[in-house]
């Protein structure tokens, strides 16, 4: 592998989550004015902006694979408390360990000889290509590993987010 492979969070996933955040929060300052809430709309706008930047930062992880290994990184502007960066050489990876999530899903960890596990990023665009590269470098079977969330799940969430946004607009334009 001469050129490193780089994978980002799937645009369907990040776009849907950012849109949902907007649909849930952007009406709040307007509603605060309409209801004469005791909180300043400017404070709400500031909090919404800060939350949006933090969400964008959390969704901006990058997975890089090259001849030496795999690493999970974030852009430099992302605050350290949001970063869960790690790096492994291919020789350090001894296995893949599945673990159930509290919602009934299945995530996988890259496991080292010391038993330390590193969460395999499962929401990246190009997941199948990433898994083929991991299998090629480690020899570990990856065919059974599927992305945590299927595209149709985020497609449905995107449709409902658009509906929520439309209802928000309707309410804000008719009540005001």
């Amino acid at each position: 592998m001469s050129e490193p492979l780089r994978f980002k969070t799937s645009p369907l996933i990040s776009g849907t989550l950012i849109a949902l955040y907007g649909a849930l929060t952007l009406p709040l300052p307007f509603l605060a004015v309409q209801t004469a809430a005791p909180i300043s709309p400017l404070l709400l706008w500031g909090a919404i902006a800060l939350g949006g930047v933090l969400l964008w930062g959390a969704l901006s992880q990058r997975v890089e694979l090259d001849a030496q290994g795999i690493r999970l990184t974030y852009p430099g502007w992302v605050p350290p408390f949001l970063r869960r960066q790690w790096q492994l050489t291919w020789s350090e990876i001894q296995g893949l360990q599945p673990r159930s999530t509290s919602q009934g899903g299945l995530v996988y960890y890259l496991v080292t000889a010391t038993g330390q596990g590193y969460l395999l990023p499962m929401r990246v665009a190009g997941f199948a290509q990433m898994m083929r590269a991991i299998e090629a470098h480690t020899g570990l079977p990856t065919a059974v590993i599927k992305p945590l969330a299927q595209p149709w799940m985020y497609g449905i969430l995107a449709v409902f987010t658009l509906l929520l946004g439309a209802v928000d607009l309707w309410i804000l334009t008719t009540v005001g």
Side-chain angles (χ1 to χ4, degrees):
M1 180 182 328
S2 57
E3 283 292 312
L5 294 175
R6 291 183 175 91
F7 302 93
K8 294 182 177 182
T9 302
S10 166
L12 175 64
I13 294 171
S14 58
T16 298
L17 293 176
I18 289 169
L20 179 60
Y21 177 79
L24 291 171
T25 60
L26 292 177
L28 296 176
F30 299 105
L31 294 173
V33 170
Q34 290 292 324
T35 61
I39 190 164
S40 165
L42 289 176
L43 181 62
L44 286 172
W45 282 118
I48 291 168
L50 177 61
V53 169
L54 292 175
L55 177 60
W56 184 25
L59 293 171
S60 65
Q61 74 177 6
R62 296 180 299 226
V63 180
E64 298 176 359
L65 290 81
D66 59 22
Q68 286 73 46
I70 180 173
R71 73 190 132 276
L72 181 79
T73 65
Y74 288 83
W77 62 267
V78 176
F81 67 89
L82 284 181
R83 297 180 190 194
R84 291 191 202 107
Q85 299 186 133
W86 50 264
Q87 179 174 330
L88 294 171
T89 62
W90 295 120
S91 61
E92 290 178 283
I93 301 170
Q94 300 295 306
L96 286 161
Q97 183 181 53
R99 294 189 188 155
S100 296
T101 67
S102 59
Q103 294 85 24
L106 198 58
V107 295
Y108 286 84
Y109 284 80
L110 298 169
V111 181
T112 65
T114 62
Q116 180 72 33
Y118 297 85
L119 182 62
L120 181 68
M122 300 180 77
R123 291 185 172 101
V124 297
F127 182 78
Q129 180 186 11
M130 182 181 76
M131 295 313 300
R132 285 191 300 273
I134 290 172
E135 184 169 345
H137 284 285
T138 64
L140 298 170
T142 62
V144 298
I145 301 174
K146 303 292 181 236
L148 181 60
Q150 299 299 318
W152 63 265
M153 295 173 167
Y154 279 93
I156 290 171
L157 182 58
V159 168
F160 283 112
T161 297
L162 290 174
L163 288 172
L164 177 60
V167 170
D168 287 345
L169 280 174
W170 177 71
I171 289 172
L172 290 173
T173 56
T174 58
V175 172

